[in-house]
Amino acid sequence: MVEDVYPLSPLQEGFYYHWLEAPGASAYFNQISCRVNGALEINKIEESYRILSARHAVLRTFFTSEYSDNTLQVVIKDCPPAFTYKEIPGEVESSVEEYKYTDRKKGFNLHNGSQIRLTLLGLGENAYEFIWSHHHILMDGWCIGILINEFFQIYHSLVRGATIKQETVRPYSDYIKWLMKKEKSGSLRYWKEYLSGFNTLTPLPKRPVKEEGIAHHPGETSVSLDPSVRAAMKRLCSTLGITDYIFIQTAWAVLLSRYNNTGDVVFGSVVSGRPGEIDGIERMVGLFINTIPVRVKINSGVTIRQLLKEVQQRSIEESEHHYTQLADIQSQSEIKQSLFDHILQFQNFPVEEMIQQSISDKGTAGELSFLSSDTFEQNNYDFTCMVIPSAALTLKFSYNSCMYEASQVKQMESHFLRVITQMALSPESAIGQIDYLSEEEKLELEGFNDTKVNYPTEKTIINLFEEQVKKYPENIAVTAGTTALTYRELNERSNQLASYLRKEYKIKPDDLIGIKVERSEVMIIAILGVLKSGGAYVPIDPEYPQERIEYMIADSCCKVVLDAGELKKFEERSGSYEKENPTPVNKPHDLAYVIYTSGTTGKPKGSLIEHKNVVRLFKTGKPLFDFNEKDVWTMFHSY
């Protein structure tokens, strides 16, 4: 039997859309587990959960688009609660983790039944694990604390045989009715003006990937503020009349502006969305939060104190527009869905403390004691910074490790702490004076910017190679399969090829010669032979499509292409060519090779590389590769 039907809130619509796109994905799956010790009465645990489900309509809700142009949420009057009790044999920790993982993989079908379930695992010796799993479309984090608190109140009353005394529940539908009465056009105009002129995403640095969002492998790290910094931050916030979250938002905006070299940044933020004008809103269970953009314009000349006040004022102005659906807000911007790629979230509910207080009941026989708790939640963003306002404010970074490397996130973490520290301790300083880099990073950056390096500017690649031949003539220079050539043998073979090219094709500096051979010792002989002849080579992979090969040869105007046929012709005559080093004709500014890459028009594009470019890489104070005559290297990429 249907108890109630009503529309979705703005964020619920977003969650429902994401679920329709990927019903099997773990996005917006929330799981909270807590371990307790004590003599539980399992039948009363199940009864407590049944009573809790009967109290709150959202625990008996499913979603459908079958009966209206708009998606509706339907409350079933007699929806059987999803409760499971299971005893875990053997190794407890791995079994619990496996069960939680399996439970997450099960997900939820938003079109059927309840979107929350409770599992109780018996671990032996009066230890139990409660696992609360729900889809985020039902409720926000504050609500799970309310539910767990009510659940244990009911349980303790049942165990004592006492009357269950609880406040009357205000249904979530009351909030939806209030929301439907709000005028939307004014909010859309507000967001259009708010985002006017913003046309470039301000992202966080991430690893390069070919396709974004193809997988999600969660990573997490957290850090707490130094007590002295936390104390200074609290004093400053109190003086200015701002919240901790405004301070953190401002610091995050400063870091984003530095990363993107801009004075105008936008990132996502989660707002609580509980309007004070609705009676009993603080005890209502449902989804009230919403994700909105936060835009901060940063003038490097203003003080930290001034910027904090500006961000606070903008936050106050936008508060009445927090109830607009994110998709509608994005539609008002110039870059639509590309408005931001990560979110900042303030956790205004101490989950573990709420659970711990709920479990304890001194008047109950077989008193329960709290042992530990754990949470799992995943949204649709690849990066989330959670601000946890504990005594020492904690920052938790949750990220998709397919998109962000752990080292990148740790670096962001340290950068963010430096910005927060400077803002808290020096609020009269100008924003432009904030420095997020460590001393080590500054030294490294100086090294990158030091383009004045010493290298043998008068030498070519061949000069350097022939020096090695003199030093180590009998050392192995190249191997391919069962073939091995010493430096002397490699030098002699390439000298003969160079003489062949000079005599047969009149090669001179900057003439281009194609090399189209398989990976082998012959390829190395060909490269050195071309360079010793005075020309420059064009590497052509024989596996390329014929059309690309023909284009490269024609575009580069190769004098000759060293392919299997041409090299066979050389081998037949090689005995008549000198093994001695040919007279050098190249200067450092002559071409060494031309390498073709994909062009923006779809046609390959040739890049010209001179001898000095390569010499500079290998013969500076900080060479590209650090190796000596005892090292053995494989050819690890295409030539």
Side-chain angles (χ1 to χ4, degrees), residues 443-458:
L443 291 173
E444 186 176 0
L445 193 59
E446 288 176 9
F448 288 148
N449 291 332
D450 184 11
T451 56
K452 297 180 181 180
V453 294
N454 295 319
Y455 69 99
T457 56
E458 77 288 355

PDB file of all heavy atoms in Angstrom, residues 443-458:
ATOM      1  N   LEU A 443      64.158  25.071  -4.370  1.00  0.00           N
ATOM      2  CA  LEU A 443      65.465  24.721  -4.927  1.00  0.00           C
ATOM      3  C   LEU A 443      65.310  23.935  -6.224  1.00  0.00           C
ATOM      4  O   LEU A 443      66.047  24.153  -7.187  1.00  0.00           O
ATOM      5  CB  LEU A 443      66.275  23.914  -3.901  1.00  0.00           C
ATOM      6  CG  LEU A 443      66.753  24.673  -2.666  1.00  0.00           C
ATOM      7  CD1 LEU A 443      67.395  23.710  -1.664  1.00  0.00           C
ATOM      8  CD2 LEU A 443      67.769  25.746  -3.075  1.00  0.00           C
ATOM      9  N   GLU A 444      64.355  23.024  -6.220  1.00  0.00           N
ATOM     10  CA  GLU A 444      64.117  22.224  -7.427  1.00  0.00           C
ATOM     11  C   GLU A 444      63.656  23.117  -8.572  1.00  0.00           C
ATOM     12  O   GLU A 444      64.086  22.962  -9.716  1.00  0.00           O
ATOM     13  CB  GLU A 444      63.068  21.153  -7.141  1.00  0.00           C
ATOM     14  CG  GLU A 444      62.869  20.180  -8.291  1.00  0.00           C
ATOM     15  CD  GLU A 444      61.882  19.073  -7.929  1.00  0.00           C
ATOM     16  OE1 GLU A 444      61.376  19.084  -6.789  1.00  0.00           O
ATOM     17  OE2 GLU A 444      61.622  18.225  -8.785  1.00  0.00           O
ATOM     18  N   LEU A 445      62.787  24.078  -8.248  1.00  0.00           N
ATOM     19  CA  LEU A 445      62.289  24.989  -9.275  1.00  0.00           C
ATOM     20  C   LEU A 445      63.415  25.858  -9.824  1.00  0.00           C
ATOM     21  O   LEU A 445      63.469  26.135 -11.027  1.00  0.00           O
ATOM     22  CB  LEU A 445      61.191  25.866  -8.666  1.00  0.00           C
ATOM     23  CG  LEU A 445      60.325  26.668  -9.636  1.00  0.00           C
ATOM     24  CD1 LEU A 445      59.611  25.743 -10.597  1.00  0.00           C
ATOM     25  CD2 LEU A 445      59.330  27.530  -8.877  1.00  0.00           C
ATOM     26  N   GLU A 446      64.328  26.279  -8.947  1.00  0.00           N
ATOM     27  CA  GLU A 446      65.474  27.054  -9.411  1.00  0.00           C
ATOM     28  C   GLU A 446      66.302  26.241 -10.397  1.00  0.00           C
ATOM     29  O   GLU A 446      66.805  26.764 -11.388  1.00  0.00           O
ATOM     30  CB  GLU A 446      66.344  27.471  -8.221  1.00  0.00           C
ATOM     31  CG  GLU A 446      65.716  28.558  -7.364  1.00  0.00           C
ATOM     32  CD  GLU A 446      66.558  28.862  -6.141  1.00  0.00           C
ATOM     33  OE1 GLU A 446      67.705  28.346  -6.072  1.00  0.00           O
ATOM     34  OE2 GLU A 446      66.088  29.610  -5.264  1.00  0.00           O
ATOM     35  N   GLY A 447      66.405  24.936 -10.110  1.00  0.00           N
ATOM     36  CA  GLY A 447      67.138  24.066 -11.032  1.00  0.00           C
ATOM     37  C   GLY A 447      66.472  23.974 -12.379  1.00  0.00           C
ATOM     38  O   GLY A 447      67.125  24.006 -13.437  1.00  0.00           O
ATOM     39  N   PHE A 448      65.115  23.883 -12.378  1.00  0.00           N
ATOM     40  CA  PHE A 448      64.378  23.824 -13.643  1.00  0.00           C
ATOM     41  C   PHE A 448      64.551  25.107 -14.447  1.00  0.00           C
ATOM     42  O   PHE A 448      64.645  25.096 -15.668  1.00  0.00           O
ATOM     43  CB  PHE A 448      62.885  23.600 -13.385  1.00  0.00           C
ATOM     44  CG  PHE A 448      62.553  22.223 -12.917  1.00  0.00           C
ATOM     45  CD1 PHE A 448      61.491  22.014 -12.049  1.00  0.00           C
ATOM     46  CD2 PHE A 448      63.295  21.132 -13.340  1.00  0.00           C
ATOM     47  CE1 PHE A 448      61.174  20.744 -11.624  1.00  0.00           C
ATOM     48  CE2 PHE A 448      62.987  19.855 -12.897  1.00  0.00           C
ATOM     49  CZ  PHE A 448      61.925  19.661 -12.047  1.00  0.00           C
ATOM     50  N   ASN A 449      64.581  26.255 -13.723  1.00  0.00           N
ATOM     51  CA  ASN A 449      64.641  27.545 -14.406  1.00  0.00           C
ATOM     52  C   ASN A 449      66.062  27.941 -14.783  1.00  0.00           C
ATOM     53  O   ASN A 449      66.261  28.919 -15.499  1.00  0.00           O
ATOM     54  CB  ASN A 449      64.040  28.638 -13.516  1.00  0.00           C
ATOM     55  CG  ASN A 449      62.541  28.461 -13.359  1.00  0.00           C
ATOM     56  OD1 ASN A 449      61.900  27.914 -14.244  1.00  0.00           O
ATOM     57  ND2 ASN A 449      61.987  28.921 -12.244  1.00  0.00           N
ATOM     58  N   ASP A 450      67.038  27.193 -14.285  1.00  0.00           N
ATOM     59  CA  ASP A 450      68.439  27.499 -14.613  1.00  0.00           C
ATOM     60  C   ASP A 450      68.765  26.930 -15.990  1.00  0.00           C
ATOM     61  O   ASP A 450      69.225  25.799 -16.121  1.00  0.00           O
ATOM     62  CB  ASP A 450      69.364  26.906 -13.543  1.00  0.00           C
ATOM     63  CG  ASP A 450      70.822  27.277 -13.794  1.00  0.00           C
ATOM     64  OD1 ASP A 450      71.071  28.142 -14.661  1.00  0.00           O
ATOM     65  OD2 ASP A 450      71.697  26.685 -13.133  1.00  0.00           O
ATOM     66  N   THR A 451      68.514  27.729 -17.022  1.00  0.00           N
ATOM     67  CA  THR A 451      68.734  27.248 -18.389  1.00  0.00           C
ATOM     68  C   THR A 451      70.160  27.482 -18.872  1.00  0.00           C
ATOM     69  O   THR A 451      70.530  27.042 -19.955  1.00  0.00           O
ATOM     70  CB  THR A 451      67.763  27.949 -19.357  1.00  0.00           C
ATOM     71  OG1 THR A 451      67.930  29.367 -19.233  1.00  0.00           O
ATOM     72  CG2 THR A 451      66.321  27.591 -19.012  1.00  0.00           C
ATOM     73  N   LYS A 452      70.954  28.174 -18.059  1.00  0.00           N
ATOM     74  CA  LYS A 452      72.356  28.384 -18.419  1.00  0.00           C
ATOM     75  C   LYS A 452      73.171  27.203 -17.919  1.00  0.00           C
ATOM     76  O   LYS A 452      73.569  27.142 -16.764  1.00  0.00           O
ATOM     77  CB  LYS A 452      72.870  29.686 -17.795  1.00  0.00           C
ATOM     78  CG  LYS A 452      72.148  30.928 -18.318  1.00  0.00           C
ATOM     79  CD  LYS A 452      72.686  32.181 -17.662  1.00  0.00           C
ATOM     80  CE  LYS A 452      71.960  33.413 -18.172  1.00  0.00           C
ATOM     81  NZ  LYS A 452      72.467  34.647 -17.532  1.00  0.00           N
ATOM     82  N   VAL A 453      73.411  26.241 -18.803  1.00  0.00           N
ATOM     83  CA  VAL A 453      74.149  25.047 -18.412  1.00  0.00           C
ATOM     84  C   VAL A 453      75.378  24.898 -19.287  1.00  0.00           C
ATOM     85  O   VAL A 453      75.407  25.338 -20.427  1.00  0.00           O
ATOM     86  CB  VAL A 453      73.264  23.788 -18.534  1.00  0.00           C
ATOM     87  CG1 VAL A 453      72.131  23.847 -17.547  1.00  0.00           C
ATOM     88  CG2 VAL A 453      72.699  23.646 -19.944  1.00  0.00           C
ATOM     89  N   ASN A 454      76.379  24.267 -18.692  1.00  0.00           N
ATOM     90  CA  ASN A 454      77.611  24.033 -19.436  1.00  0.00           C
ATOM     91  C   ASN A 454      77.555  22.690 -20.154  1.00  0.00           C
ATOM     92  O   ASN A 454      77.201  21.676 -19.559  1.00  0.00           O
ATOM     93  CB  ASN A 454      78.809  24.039 -18.469  1.00  0.00           C
ATOM     94  CG  ASN A 454      79.008  25.410 -17.846  1.00  0.00           C
ATOM     95  OD1 ASN A 454      78.891  26.421 -18.523  1.00  0.00           O
ATOM     96  ND2 ASN A 454      79.304  25.435 -16.550  1.00  0.00           N
ATOM     97  N   TYR A 455      77.864  22.698 -21.440  1.00  0.00           N
ATOM     98  CA  TYR A 455      77.977  21.469 -22.217  1.00  0.00           C
ATOM     99  C   TYR A 455      78.920  21.743 -23.380  1.00  0.00           C
ATOM    100  O   TYR A 455      79.169  22.898 -23.750  1.00  0.00           O
ATOM    101  CB  TYR A 455      76.598  20.995 -22.697  1.00  0.00           C
ATOM    102  CG  TYR A 455      75.949  21.876 -23.741  1.00  0.00           C
ATOM    103  CD1 TYR A 455      76.017  21.549 -25.091  1.00  0.00           C
ATOM    104  CD2 TYR A 455      75.247  23.024 -23.374  1.00  0.00           C
ATOM    105  CE1 TYR A 455      75.413  22.343 -26.055  1.00  0.00           C
ATOM    106  CE2 TYR A 455      74.649  23.820 -24.328  1.00  0.00           C
ATOM    107  CZ  TYR A 455      74.729  23.481 -25.667  1.00  0.00           C
ATOM    108  OH  TYR A 455      74.142  24.263 -26.612  1.00  0.00           O
ATOM    109  N   PRO A 456      79.498  20.698 -23.980  1.00  0.00           N
ATOM    110  CA  PRO A 456      80.474  20.895 -25.066  1.00  0.00           C
ATOM    111  C   PRO A 456      79.797  21.424 -26.327  1.00  0.00           C
ATOM    112  O   PRO A 456      79.365  20.661 -27.194  1.00  0.00           O
ATOM    113  CB  PRO A 456      81.059  19.497 -25.264  1.00  0.00           C
ATOM    114  CG  PRO A 456      80.038  18.551 -24.732  1.00  0.00           C
ATOM    115  CD  PRO A 456      79.357  19.286 -23.616  1.00  0.00           C
ATOM    116  N   THR A 457      79.697  22.738 -26.422  1.00  0.00           N
ATOM    117  CA  THR A 457      78.948  23.366 -27.514  1.00  0.00           C
ATOM    118  C   THR A 457      79.588  23.155 -28.883  1.00  0.00           C
ATOM    119  O   THR A 457      78.938  23.365 -29.900  1.00  0.00           O
ATOM    120  CB  THR A 457      78.821  24.875 -27.256  1.00  0.00           C
ATOM    121  OG1 THR A 457      80.123  25.440 -27.091  1.00  0.00           O
ATOM    122  CG2 THR A 457      77.996  25.130 -26.000  1.00  0.00           C
ATOM    123  N   GLU A 458      80.861  22.734 -28.907  1.00  0.00           N
ATOM    124  CA  GLU A 458      81.550  22.572 -30.192  1.00  0.00           C
ATOM    125  C   GLU A 458      81.470  21.156 -30.735  1.00  0.00           C
ATOM    126  O   GLU A 458      81.960  20.881 -31.845  1.00  0.00           O
ATOM    127  CB  GLU A 458      83.024  22.986 -30.036  1.00  0.00           C
ATOM    128  CG  GLU A 458      83.932  21.975 -29.339  1.00  0.00           C
ATOM    129  CD  GLU A 458      83.699  21.825 -27.833  1.00  0.00           C
ATOM    130  OE1 GLU A 458      82.878  22.587 -27.287  1.00  0.00           O
ATOM    131  OE2 GLU A 458      84.318  20.938 -27.227  1.00  0.00           O
TER     132      GLU A 458
END
